[in-house]
């Protein structure tokens, strides 16, 4: 049973073994721990060290500091505007259109199977 | 003791459906006593269903196909008159999915729905939905499939409209029931064609007699179109983000099961009922022969690519937490049918024999696709539970108004990270294994498919990084100041799914050999399905 | 709805018992003549809906609560599935017609061919007919009652 | 005509043509040939009295041969009632 | 052959009319009516499949004897009708709520926040 559980999973070009992976994970954590040991020990809470430094300007309110979801990936959506316009037009939110897509798919399938 | 167990195993197909139904009929009565007793009762019922499912699945995986006839011990099989349940590997696999999700949903609802009114009806409908999904995946009768399809659609539509004071929920419920009733009626239309032609309703009998004449083609088209619409395959996926985001989160988790059950219907129709006719040569151009397998396979692959791309792109733009997961769910469904479609398109006859087989990479793709079904149920389920937890804590699903939740909801954040890793296919979560198989096998079918799949998987990661950034990271903003961690029952429910995800991710080979392979073999072996009912054919 | 005129109320209360008896007859003879639990239940439920229309939903809601109908419906469903489970317990198969050809009630086996029907036949079928009839009456009436009452309370669509 | 309606008309025509062909290809209305006998139904008509005891074969089918479907149907009605009561419930305690 | 299949053609026509109503009508009530038309069409299709020439109803109680029409389609239609009633009830109650929220029944205006 146990050897069945930890047996290797192969796809032909890659493999996955839980034991190998766990060993890798442990080694990675060890490295992280060692690197963490190099850090400075002078950090103190509640002093000026914890303040954000914005070129000497005062910090904004917390609400304004947070990047809203609307603005994330703005560049991507802006550059692919045409694609998004097309997809947006597809999603009309009208029940009749949903059913119309069904009729269209049915028609295409009928054509495929009927003509050939 | 052994006698009782063998009797239970023998009757488990009936009991799996009867227990949740009986529980559902009793729940309104139990609900009059006390809320707490009712909740315990409902959890008990789902666990009992789970117990029966596990013993049945164990039986099927060890001893092969199990049939159960309703109403007679020695039913006549020539002609087949009564309703049969027929459970092969694929049905058993689906039953496992269908029973995990309600258990989680019911445990989660204890905390989640505590403040709501109408809880008795809510739990009743969840149990009915469970019974419906289980009936859909276990049945071996076309008309019975339609009836259970309707049970799942009606109960899930009523639950989507649970928050009647939200206009999003109500309109989503209306769209959902219109779509599902039209889909179900079209299924009934196809069933009627089968009945008129073969005077049979049993799937095995139909599969045994099936030809590939005009009427069979029509029935195939209608069934595929209707069931893929219920399984939310682009461009008929638009109802899914509506319904998933309108429903309360635990309900959504179970609705994921209904979507997968419809997908199972597609597989059952294509592989089992039409399995015999996969290689009828419809027309040949020189050496190149056009077969139904090629047509269906290519068509499904095209739709799958469309599904993945649309799902991912719309998810990236969306700003509503639940809606975004809904589009991601669409993309995940695309992965499944991408694998299965490319598998179907590699069907061929080896020279010298007449048995239908599939190319090796096709079989691998099928394994990946089936494995991805259970992975998708777990991943999307966990993400929706997280979204529900965020909603419970903040009464907000719009990502624009969230931020800094990781400071207040530590466990939820961890669960979200697990879901994020799983859904975008990063090791060591379960999505990695199935997506790896899918990439590799579709690459052998056509490299472009694998490239699209990988790119979209990366974009899926980007989508959820966006959620992680805007909801969980960042400073504590004013609207999330008084947020508290969610109740224990919700954490337990999320923990169950997260544990399963990690287990499936760490030991994929174990899961594939024990659960996925029997399901794959069952799909590929339609003659066994037929002979289980009709005897040696 | 606040109910209709006195003439309608009187006539519908006179007609209701007849409708009900007709429905019960359809249910009881389901295994002999055209009809059955669903059809008869629908007839009785439409009789009840007639009362609802003539007396108004508020009055009817005062007489019959939807919670009671819900209990009644659950009972019908439990009897139905219970009969099926009894088949499992007594005859070893879910949904078995275990009363048929037994020495309990409904056990007379009819002569093959065209006969005069015997009410005391057909095993579990009459029981299931009654259970389904009860369910359909309660269910359909509950749907109509709840919808009528809710729309009355909500008014004509203004928020 | 808008683009949507144009597409709708075209695809409806296709679907309509194929469905009408379906109607023409079905077996002739009310006639069952030698090789197209309704075996399942004949079995029920012959045996409904001896196997279920019901003089009414339809009731025999509904409650005995396909009793499980009827359980599903009763469940559907139960579901609808639960759904309607759920949808019209009071939202505040 | 053609004349024998007129009932089927009528049934298909009914289904198509229902689908057309769902796709082209904008009023939600009319969409629901379209769905019930499809449903009636499918039910009629089942029933027409069960007809046998010169046959009587499949009931033995004081029957004149002779061929009987097929009982299974009748049972299936009964099931399907009840399911139709259930779906109809639920759809109508959703429409009541939609009207409360939107104050309109125009399908093109009933949409979520993000569409």
């Amino acid at each position: 049973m146990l050897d069945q559980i930890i047996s290797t999973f192969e796809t032909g070009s890659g493999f996955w073994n839980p034991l190998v992976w766990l060993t890798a994970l442990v080694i990675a954590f060890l490295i992280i721990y060692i690197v963490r040991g190099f850090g400075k020990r002078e950090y103190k809470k509640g002093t000026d060290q914890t303040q954000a430094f914005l070129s000497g300007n005062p910090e904004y309110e917390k609400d304004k500091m947070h990047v809203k979801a609307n603005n994330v990936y703005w560049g991507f959506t802006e550059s692919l505007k045409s694609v998004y316009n097309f997809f947006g037009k597809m999603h009309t939110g009208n029940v009749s259109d949903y059913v119309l897509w069904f009729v269209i798919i049915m028609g295409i399938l009928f054509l495929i199977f009927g003509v050939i | 003791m052994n006698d009782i167990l063998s009797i239970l195993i023998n009757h488990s197909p009936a009991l799996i459906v009867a227990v949740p139904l009986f529980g559902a009929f009793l729940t309104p009565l139990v609900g009059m006593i006390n809320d707490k007793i009712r909740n315990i009762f409902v959890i008990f019922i789902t666990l009992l269903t789970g117990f029966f499912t596990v013993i049945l699945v164990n039986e099927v995986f060890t001893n092969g196909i199990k049939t159960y006839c309703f109403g007679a011990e020695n039913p006549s099989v020539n002609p087949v008159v009564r309703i049969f349940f027929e459970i092969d590997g694929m049905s058993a696999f689906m039953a496992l999915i269908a029973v995990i999700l309600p258990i989680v949903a019911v445990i989660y609802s204890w905390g989640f729905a505590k403040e709501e009114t109408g809880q008795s009806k809510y739990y009743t409908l969840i149990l009915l939905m469970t019974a419906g999904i289980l009936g859909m995946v276990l049945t071996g009768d076309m008309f019975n499939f339609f009836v259970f399809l309707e049970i799942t659609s009606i109960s899930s539509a009523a639950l989507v409209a649970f928050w009647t004071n939200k206009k999003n929920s109500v309109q989503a419920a209306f769209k959902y029931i219109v779509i599902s009733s039209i889909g179900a009626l079209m299924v009934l239309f196809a069933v009627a064609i089968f009945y008129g032609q073969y005077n049979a309703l049993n799937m095995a009998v139909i599969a045994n007699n099936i030809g590939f004449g005009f009427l069979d083609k029509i029935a195939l088209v209608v069934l595929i179109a209707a069931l893929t619409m219920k399984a939310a395959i682009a461009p008929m996926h638009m109802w899914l983000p509506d319904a998933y985001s309108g429903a309360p989160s635990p309900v959504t988790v179970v609705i994921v099961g209904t979507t997968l059950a419809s997908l199972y219907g597609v597989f059952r129709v294509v592989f089992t009922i039409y399995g015999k006719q996969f290689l009828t040569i419809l027309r040949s151009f020189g050496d190149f022969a056009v077969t139904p397998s090629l047509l269906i396979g290519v068509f499904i692959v095209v739709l799958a690519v469309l599904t993945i791309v649309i799902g991912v792109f719309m998810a990236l733009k969306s700003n509503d937490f639940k809606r975004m997961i809904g589009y991601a769910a669409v993309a995940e469904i695309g992965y499944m049918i991408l694998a299965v479609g490319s598998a179907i398109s590699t069907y061929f006859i080896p020279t010298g024999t007449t048995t239908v087989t599939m190319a090796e990479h096709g079989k691998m793709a099928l394994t990946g696709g089936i494995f991805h079904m259970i992975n998708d149920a777990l991943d999307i389920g966990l993400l929706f539970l997280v979204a529900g937890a965020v909603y419970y804590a903040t009464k907000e699903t719009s990502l624009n108004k969230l931020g800094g939740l990781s400071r207040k909801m530590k466990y939820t954040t961890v669960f979200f990270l697990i879901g994020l890793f799983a859904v975008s296919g990063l090791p060591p979560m379960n999505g990695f294994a199935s997506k790896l198989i899918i990439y590799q096998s579709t690459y052998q079918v056509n490299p472009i498919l694998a490239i699209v799949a990988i790119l979209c998987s990366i974009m899926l990661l980007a989508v959820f990084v966006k959620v992680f950034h805007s909801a969980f990271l960042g400073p504590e903003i004013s609207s999330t100041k008084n947020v508290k961690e969610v109740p224990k029952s919700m954490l337990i429910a999320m923990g169950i799914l997260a544990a399963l995800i990690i287990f499936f991710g760490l030991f994929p080979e174990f899961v594939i050999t024990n659960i996925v392979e029997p399901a794959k073999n069952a799909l590929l072996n339609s003659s066994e399905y037929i002979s289980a009912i009709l005897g040696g054919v | 709805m606040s109910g209709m005129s006195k003439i309608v109320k009187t006539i519908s209360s006179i007609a209701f018992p007849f409708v009900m008896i007709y429905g019960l007859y359809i249910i009881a003879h389901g295994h002999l003549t055209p009809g059955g639990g669903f059809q008869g239940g629908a007839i009785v439920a439409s009789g009840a809906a007639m009362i609802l229309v003539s007396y108004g939903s508020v009055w009817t809601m005062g007489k019959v609560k939807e919670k009671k109908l819900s209990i009644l419906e659950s009972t019908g469903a439990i009897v139905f599935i219970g009969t099926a489970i009894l088949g499992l317990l007594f005859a070893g198969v879910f949904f078995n017609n275990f009363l048929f050809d037994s020495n309990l009630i409904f056990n007379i086996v009819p002569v093959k061919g065209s006969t005069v029907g015997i009410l005391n036949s057909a095993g579990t079928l009459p029981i299931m007919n009654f259970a389904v009839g009860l369910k359909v009456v309660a269910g359909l009436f509950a749907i109509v009652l709840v919808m009528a009452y809710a729309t009355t309370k909500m008014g004509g669509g203004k928020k | 005509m808008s683009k949507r309606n144009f597409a709708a008309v075209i695809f409806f025509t296709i679907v309509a043509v194929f469905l009408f062909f379906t109607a023409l290809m079905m077996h002739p209305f009310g006639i069952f040939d030698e090789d197209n006998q309704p075996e399942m139904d004949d079995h029920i008509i012959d045996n409904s009295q001896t196997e279920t005891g019901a003089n009414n074969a339809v009731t025999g089918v509904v409650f005995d041969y396909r009793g499980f479907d009827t359980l599903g149907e009763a469940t559907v009605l139960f579901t609808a009632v639960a759904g309607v009561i759920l949808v019209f419930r009071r939202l505040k305690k | 052959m053609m004349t024998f299949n007129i009932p089927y053609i009528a049934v298909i026509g009914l289904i198509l009319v229902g689908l057309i109503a769902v796709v082209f009508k904008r009023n939600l009530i009319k969409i629901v009516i379209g769905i019930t038309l499809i449903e009636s069409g499918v039910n009629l299709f089942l029933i027409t499949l069960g007809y046998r020439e010169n046959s009587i109803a499949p009931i033995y109680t004081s029957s004149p004897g002779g061929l009987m029409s097929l009982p299974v389609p009748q049972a299936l239609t009964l099931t399907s009708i009840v399911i139709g009633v259930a779906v109809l009830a639920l759809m109508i109650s959703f429409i009541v709520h939609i009207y409360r929220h939107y104050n309109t029944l125009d399908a093109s205006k009933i949409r979520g926040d993000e569409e």
Side-chain angles (χ1 to χ4, degrees):
Chain A
M1 187 70 183
L2 189 70
D3 59 319
Q4 212 190 355
I5 290 180
I6 58 171
S7 55
T8 310
F9 156 63
E10 281 182 59
T11 58
S13 65
F15 78 99
W16 172 269
N17 190 308
L19 288 183
V20 174
W21 189 81
L22 282 177
T23 327
L25 191 75
V26 168
I27 292 171
F29 266 109
L30 271 179
I31 293 171
I32 291 168
Y33 188 74
I34 292 165
V35 172
R36 192 174 181 276
F38 295 145
K40 290 195 174 181
R41 283 164 217 285
E42 299 142 22
Y43 181 84
K44 285 188 190 77
K45 273 188 178 173
T47 56
D48 278 355
Q49 278 181 329
T50 55
Q51 291 293 315
F53 181 71
L54 294 172
S55 313
N57 296 319
E59 201 183 337
Y60 292 119
E61 272 178 66
K62 291 288 185 195
D63 283 23
K64 280 188 184 168
M65 296 275 286
H66 188 48
V67 182
K68 293 270 185 271
N70 251 344
N71 308 327
V72 184
Y73 303 135
W74 173 82
F76 185 84
T77 45
E78 190 69 16
S79 58
L80 290 176
K81 218 172 185 175
S82 53
V83 178
Y84 273 108
N85 269 340
F86 177 70
F87 284 157
K89 256 184 210 161
M90 256 172 87
H91 294 80
T92 51
N94 185 347
V95 198
S96 307
D97 291 353
Y98 296 7
V99 181
L100 178 59
W101 280 112
F102 167 68
V103 174
I104 289 176
I105 290 293
M106 208 157 76
I108 293 172
L109 270 170
F110 273 145
L111 277 185
I112 291 175
F113 278 96
V115 171
I116 292 183
Chain B
M1 188 61 207
N2 258 344
D3 281 359
I4 297 176
L5 195 66
S6 72
I7 289 174
L8 282 184
I9 288 174
N10 234 350
H11 291 291
S12 53
L15 287 172
I16 284 177
V17 180
V19 166
L21 277 185
F22 197 70
F25 297 150
L26 268 180
T27 309
L29 304 181
V30 177
M32 286 174 186
I33 306 169
N34 187 336
D35 275 13
K36 210 169 183 180
I37 294 174
R38 196 244 348 266
N39 289 359
I40 291 172
F41 172 75
V42 171
I43 290 176
F44 170 73
I45 289 284
T46 47
L47 286 179
L48 194 63
T49 317
F51 168 72
F52 284 128
T53 312
V54 167
I55 59 173
L56 172 69
V57 167
N58 186 31
E59 165 80 8
V60 169
F61 283 165
T62 46
N63 293 341
I65 296 179
K66 182 159 177 51
T67 58
Y68 189 86
C69 172
F70 287 93
E73 240 164 326
N74 301 309
S76 69
V77 290
N78 192 26
V80 176
V81 176
R82 291 176 184 273
I83 294 175
F84 277 86
F85 264 20
E86 182 161 9
I87 301 100
D88 63 354
M90 188 66 199
S91 308
F93 175 77
M94 289 304 298
L96 272 185
I97 299 178
V99 89
I100 292 171
L101 298 175
I103 292 176
V104 172
V106 167
I107 295 174
Y108 187 86
S109 302
W110 192 326
F112 186 81
K114 213 188 295 167
E115 306 294 314
E116 309 283 347
T117 53
Q119 282 185 58
S120 291
K121 296 289 174 208
Y122 170 87
Y123 284 113
T124 310
L125 287 169
I126 283 191
L127 285 180
L128 288 171
M129 214 147 100
T130 314
I133 302 172
L134 285 168
M136 267 172 86
V137 299
L138 298 185
T139 189
D141 191 282
M142 280 311 274
F143 191 76
N144 208 236
F145 181 81
F146 161 76
V147 170
F148 281 110
L149 186 68
E150 284 282 15
I151 293 177
T152 48
S153 330
I154 293 176
S155 48
S156 45
L159 279 173
V160 170
F162 183 67
W163 288 319
T164 44
N165 52 345
K166 295 186 178 176
K167 64 179 186 180
N168 259 354
S169 303
V170 180
Q171 58 99 15
F174 181 74
K175 287 172 187 170
Y176 182 49
I177 196 161
V178 167
I179 292 292
S180 37
S181 60
I182 288 182
L185 285 172
M186 284 298 154
V187 170
L188 183 59
F189 181 65
V191 173
I193 292 179
F194 281 144
Y195 177 79
Q197 229 184 341
Y198 305 114
N199 193 41
L201 292 164
N202 191 291
M203 288 186 196
V205 179
I206 296 172
N208 191 31
N209 296 337
I210 198 102
F212 209 70
F214 185 79
L215 289 178
D216 301 303
K217 284 179 194 169
I218 298 286
L220 175 66
V221 168
V222 171
L223 278 174
I224 287 187
L227 288 173
T228 49
M229 175 160 77
K230 278 237 63 192
I233 289 167
M236 300 172 284
H237 66 281
M238 285 99 151
W239 62 266
L240 187 139
D242 291 345
Y244 277 26
S245 59
S249 287
V251 174
T252 314
V253 173
V254 192
I255 298 182
V256 172
T258 68
T259 317
L260 290 178
S262 310
L263 204 57
Y264 159 84
V266 179
F267 296 166
R268 185 55 84 203
V269 167
V270 170
F271 280 98
T272 304
I273 295 187
Y274 283 87
K276 252 188 169 179
Q277 297 296 331
F278 256 151
L279 291 169
T280 330
I281 294 174
L282 299 174
R283 180 166 299 198
S284 50
F285 304 99
D287 288 346
F288 181 71
V290 180
T291 57
S293 67
L294 188 72
L295 291 177
I296 300 173
V298 171
F299 186 77
I300 290 183
V301 166
V302 170
L303 285 193
V305 171
L306 200 65
T307 312
I308 296 175
V309 171
I310 289 181
V312 165
F313 270 70
M314 292 305 289
L316 200 66
K317 200 189 169 200
S318 183
N319 288 320
D320 183 276
F321 198 167
K322 285 168 125 184
R323 211 177 167 73
M324 179 181 260
I325 307 172
Y327 280 117
V330 172
E332 291 282 293
I333 292 166
Y335 279 101
M336 293 168 225
I337 60 163
L338 175 68
V340 175
S342 35
I344 296 173
S345 65
T346 63
Y347 249 118
F348 72 110
I349 307 177
T351 45
T353 56
T354 50
T355 44
V356 181
T357 51
M358 190 178 262
E360 274 309 312
H361 56 271
K363 280 183 185 167
M364 200 164 95
L366 195 57
T367 312
I370 295 170
F371 190 23
H372 203 63
M373 284 174 90
I374 195 161
N375 290 345
D376 161 81
L378 296 175
D379 305 350
I380 298 293
L382 180 62
L383 284 171
F384 267 110
L385 291 187
V386 170
V390 169
Y391 174 80
Y392 182 86
T394 62
K395 297 287 168 229
E396 192 59 65
T397 57
S398 169
L399 291 174
N400 284 328
K401 293 172 190 158
L402 292 172
L405 289 177
S406 62
R407 289 156 203 275
K408 294 291 176 66
M409 304 167 73
K410 290 199 180 62
Y411 295 109
T412 313
T413 313
V414 171
F415 291 136
F416 177 75
L417 272 179
I418 291 172
L420 182 154
F421 271 56
V423 85
S424 45
L426 296 179
M429 304 306 169
N430 57 3
F432 169 71
S434 55
K435 280 194 177 173
L436 184 63
I437 305 176
I438 292 175
Y439 300 150
Q440 194 163 2
S441 51
T442 48
Y443 185 83
Q444 280 165 309
V445 177
N446 193 335
I448 297 170
L449 299 178
I451 292 168
V452 170
I454 294 173
L455 283 181
C456 287
S457 195
I458 295 169
M459 274 178 70
L460 214 50
L461 178 64
V463 168
F464 285 101
V465 167
K466 171 180 169 181
V467 179
F468 188 55
H469 165 83
S470 49
F472 290 96
L473 296 184
E476 209 173 81
I477 60 173
S478 52
S479 60
T480 59
K481 211 140 230 174
N482 301 321
V483 170
K484 275 194 222 107
E485 184 59 280
V486 292
K488 264 198 199 98
S489 74
M490 293 164 75
L491 290 178
I492 291 171
M494 288 190 270
I496 294 172
L497 282 185
L500 279 174
I501 285 176
I502 292 176
F503 178 80
F504 279 34
L506 278 182
F507 312 111
E509 181 68 16
F510 176 68
V511 177
I512 286 178
T513 43
N514 284 308
I515 304 179
V516 182
E517 286 286 329
K520 184 199 78 180
N521 293 335
L523 273 191
L524 290 180
N525 208 340
S526 70
S527 58
E528 213 170 278
Y529 190 89
I530 296 169
S531 61
I533 289 227
L534 297 179
V537 175
Chain C
M1 275 182 280
S2 56
M4 296 166 100
S5 71
K6 196 155 193 176
I7 302 172
V8 180
K9 283 181 185 174
T10 317
I11 290 182
S12 57
S13 40
I14 291 171
F16 180 63
F18 293 102
V19 175
M20 201 159 141
I21 285 178
Y22 180 60
L24 287 177
Y25 156 75
I26 294 275
I27 294 175
H29 288 245
H31 54 294
L32 301 175
T33 56
F38 285 103
Q39 295 90 327
I43 290 170
V44 177
S46 57
M50 178 176 73
I51 293 286
L52 170 71
V53 169
S54 55
Y55 280 86
S57 53
V58 180
W59 182 87
T60 322
M61 200 61 154
K63 294 277 172 195
V64 196
K65 285 276 181 298
E66 102 253 13
K67 214 165 198 174
K68 280 179 192 161
L69 288 174
S70 186
I71 293 172
L72 210 60
E73 208 206 351
S74 279
T75 319
I78 288 168
V79 170
F80 188 65
I81 198 171
T83 321
I85 290 177
L86 283 182
L88 200 159
L89 293 182
F90 285 119
V93 185
F94 196 64
F95 255 105
N96 196 305
N97 196 341
F98 66 97
L99 282 177
F100 171 68
D101 211 1
S102 67
N103 41 18
L104 296 165
I105 53 167
F106 299 127
N107 54 351
I108 296 172
V109 183
V111 187
K112 214 174 167 185
S114 172
T115 51
V116 179
I118 307 155
L119 203 56
N120 192 12
S121 65
T124 53
L125 265 60
I127 298 173
M128 286 181 171
N129 255 330
F130 265 104
V132 167
L134 186 65
K135 222 183 105 55
V136 171
V137 172
L140 287 184
F141 188 52
I143 289 178
V144 178
L145 179 63
V146 169
M147 280 170 87
Y149 186 72
T151 44
T152 316
K153 284 281 147 180
M154 281 170 190
K158 294 282 175 286
K159 277 180 198 172
Chain D
M1 210 188 316
S2 69
K3 221 187 264 175
R4 170 193 187 268
N5 285 4
F6 186 66
V9 167
I10 287 184
F11 281 100
F12 260 112
T13 324
I14 295 168
V15 170
V17 167
F18 277 91
L19 288 186
F20 276 121
F21 266 108
T22 314
L24 292 182
M25 303 286 277
M26 293 303 295
H27 70 80
F29 177 65
I31 296 171
F32 292 92
D33 305 335
E34 288 295 311
D35 54 340
N36 188 21
Q37 281 298 320
E39 289 170 12
M40 180 169 80
D41 292 87
D42 284 341
H43 179 93
I44 290 171
I45 290 172
D46 288 343
N47 298 326
S48 84
Q49 277 182 311
T50 49
E51 283 182 8
T52 71
N55 266 350
N56 183 347
V58 178
T59 306
V61 175
V62 167
F63 287 104
D64 194 305
Y65 290 110
R66 302 190 70 81
F68 196 65
D69 272 351
T70 310
L71 177 62
E73 169 191 10
T75 311
V76 167
L77 197 63
F78 184 82
T79 315
V81 175
V84 170
I85 293 179
L86 181 85
V87 169
F88 285 116
R89 75 191 190 281
R90 274 196 207 91
L91 278 175
K92 295 197 183 84
K93 269 189 178 170
Chain E
M1 179 175 156
M2 179 79 188
T3 48
F4 287 117
N5 283 341
I6 285 177
Y8 297 125
I9 292 173
V11 158
I12 297 288
L14 202 54
I15 293 174
L16 278 174
V17 167
L19 268 179
I20 287 169
V22 174
V23 173
F24 287 104
K25 289 291 170 189
R26 299 177 75 180
N27 191 319
L28 290 190
I29 301 274
K30 287 181 184 167
I31 288 176
V32 170
I33 292 174
I35 290 173
T36 49
L37 277 177
I38 301 176
E39 189 208 314
S40 326
V42 176
N43 288 344
L44 275 175
F45 187 43
L46 275 169
I47 276 291
T48 43
L49 288 172
Y51 176 71
R52 180 147 49 176
E53 265 190 334
N54 305 320
S55 62
I56 59 165
I59 294 168
Y60 282 102
T61 309
S62 45
S63 73
L67 271 178
M68 285 184 174
S69 55
L70 314 189
V72 172
Q74 302 189 21
L76 302 189
T77 312
L78 179 61
T79 308
S80 166
I81 286 173
V82 175
I83 289 172
V85 169
V87 173
L88 184 66
L90 213 55
M91 280 196 290
I92 294 290
S93 25
F94 290 157
I95 288 182
V96 170
H97 277 286
I98 285 176
Y99 191 69
R100 273 176 64 215
H101 285 297
Y102 290 83
N103 264 323
T104 174
L105 287 180
D106 187 342
S108 57
K109 287 178 187 142
I110 314 286
R111 52 175 66 182
D113 292 336
E114 245 192 80
E115 278 166 329

